[in-house]
Amino acid sequence: MPYASANDAEIYFTDSGGPGPALILSHGFLMDSSMFDKQREHLAQGNRILQYDARGHGATREYSTHTDFDYWDQAADLLAVLDAAGVDQASVGGMSQGGFIALRAALLAPSRVQSLILIATTACSSTTEENTGYKALFESWMSDLPLRPIAESLAPQLIGGTSHDQELWIERWMTSDRNRIRASAKCLMDRDSVVHRLGEINCPVTIIRGEDDQSFRRAHAELLHRALVNSTGIEDIPGAGHAVNWTHAEPVNVAIESFLRRTNQRLGNFTPR
């Protein structure tokens, strides 16, 4: 399995698809890189697809589960994956916390980020009210309480869709190390705002969200759209919740494919079909 060496971690990634422009995808909290499998299946014919597991998730290996990190560190992890894959420049897609990482990657290394696909995400810091909810959730998650009721209560908001959409992730949570998320949870709650820096991002951007997303509402997407100078607009997916690319893959795939095609044509990149 391929790994990229990063500070205090080995980042697991997959490299698939065709010879076209590269797209790297960054997943949401408590998920892993496989949450983008439906996008890979749709887009791989015309694009090279990189998927990776963030710190505290999936097959990525941290040297210490007690070492703190932030989303700037995780943006550096994303760039380390590009280095390991020999990719100079890529479109960057991120869902929820993956969007936090994508925005910071564009600020850290603008020359390497060709475009941004921001899914169900925000540029804001976590509010006091949100952190109160997060703290209660994480204390329960990392306790000795039965995990299934906690997971089943969380899944409708974190994922949305049907019980079938949610069950795969619930089962993965049930077999996971409950304490592994400690540093990731702190990273989520302590994240800084990058709203004041959005004007520095000049690459093309598309924003996708589920119309019924209760985690990041329409106002979060509108703030991104107003502040990102090359935003092409907001795609609201009817009937979808937070993990819109998982539960409503078809319209999300169409939106991403259309955006990449327009962007690659404008930049003169080859996208075979």
Side-chain angles (χ1 to χ4, degrees):
M1 294 191 297
Y3 284 86
S5 295
N7 186 33
D8 297 321
E10 296 291 323
I11 310 299
Y12 169 75
F13 71 97
T14 60
D15 185 350
S16 60
L23 169 64
I24 185 168
L25 297 165
S26 185
H27 64 81
F29 190 83
L30 285 177
M31 311 288 273
D32 61 42
S33 56
S34 68
M35 79 167 303
F36 285 109
D37 283 354
K38 298 172 186 179
Q39 282 68 59
R40 182 198 67 226
E41 291 165 5
H42 183 84
L43 297 167
Q45 182 179 344
N47 298 272
R48 181 180 178 184
I49 309 294
L50 300 171
Q51 298 163 250
Y52 75 97
D53 291 339
R55 292 176 187 240
H57 299 77
T60 281
R61 303 183 294 223
E62 304 84 39
Y63 299 150
S64 171
T65 57
H66 300 288
T67 301
D68 289 346
F69 51 82
D70 60 25
Y71 285 119
W72 295 99
D73 296 320
Q74 297 206 62
D77 293 343
L78 183 152
L79 298 172
V81 171
L82 294 183
D83 289 342
V87 173
D88 292 329
Q89 187 181 61
S91 293
V92 179
M95 180 267 168
S96 196
Q97 80 156 11
F100 309 160
I101 294 167
L103 286 167
R104 287 160 178 79
L107 290 166
L108 275 180
S111 65
R112 304 195 68 182
V113 177
Q114 176 181 300
S115 64
L116 285 174
I117 301 162
L118 302 177
I119 304 171
T121 196
T122 180
C124 300
S125 59
S126 186
T127 66
T128 300
E129 180 181 2
E130 288 168 341
N131 276 346
T132 298
Y134 285 145
K135 184 176 180 183
L137 168 64
F138 297 142
E139 286 179 350
S140 297
W141 193 278
M142 292 183 284
S143 72
D144 294 327
L145 293 171
L147 182 57
R148 181 166 286 276
I150 301 169
E152 290 179 346
S153 176
L154 175 64
Q157 179 177 348
L158 187 66
I159 299 168
T162 66
S163 57
H164 177 73
D165 292 324
Q166 299 163 19
E167 187 58 32
L168 178 145
W169 297 104
I170 291 172
E171 291 304 319
R172 288 189 184 179
W173 298 338
M174 293 300 299
T175 58
S176 67
D177 177 355
R178 295 174 65 167
N179 287 294
R180 190 184 175 200
I181 68 165
R182 188 177 303 277
S184 298
K186 186 175 187 301
C187 176
L188 176 67
M189 293 190 291
D190 291 349
R191 71 181 186 272
D192 60 335
S193 171
V194 294
V195 170
H196 62 292
R197 296 194 60 187
L198 293 178
E200 299 174 36
I201 297 174
N202 295 312
C203 65
V205 181
T206 192
I207 301 162
I208 302 170
R209 66 179 298 275
E211 199 172 57
D212 300 329
D213 189 353
Q214 299 301 304
S215 296
F216 299 123
R217 299 179 185 269
R218 173 80 187 192
H220 293 96
E222 290 174 349
L223 188 156
L224 288 168
H225 176 58
R226 289 193 304 270
L228 291 162
V229 295
N230 281 317
S231 170
T232 62
I234 302 169
E235 296 273 357
D236 275 309
I237 307 300
H242 190 50
V244 57
N245 66 293
W246 176 259
T247 63
H248 291 66
E250 184 174 351
V252 171
N253 291 345
V254 169
I256 293 174
E257 182 176 38
S258 176
F259 171 73
L260 289 175
R261 182 171 296 278
R262 294 193 310 270
T263 300
N264 288 325
Q265 286 174 347
R266 193 174 85 179
L267 296 176
N269 290 329
F270 174 57
T271 307
R273 286 296 282 180

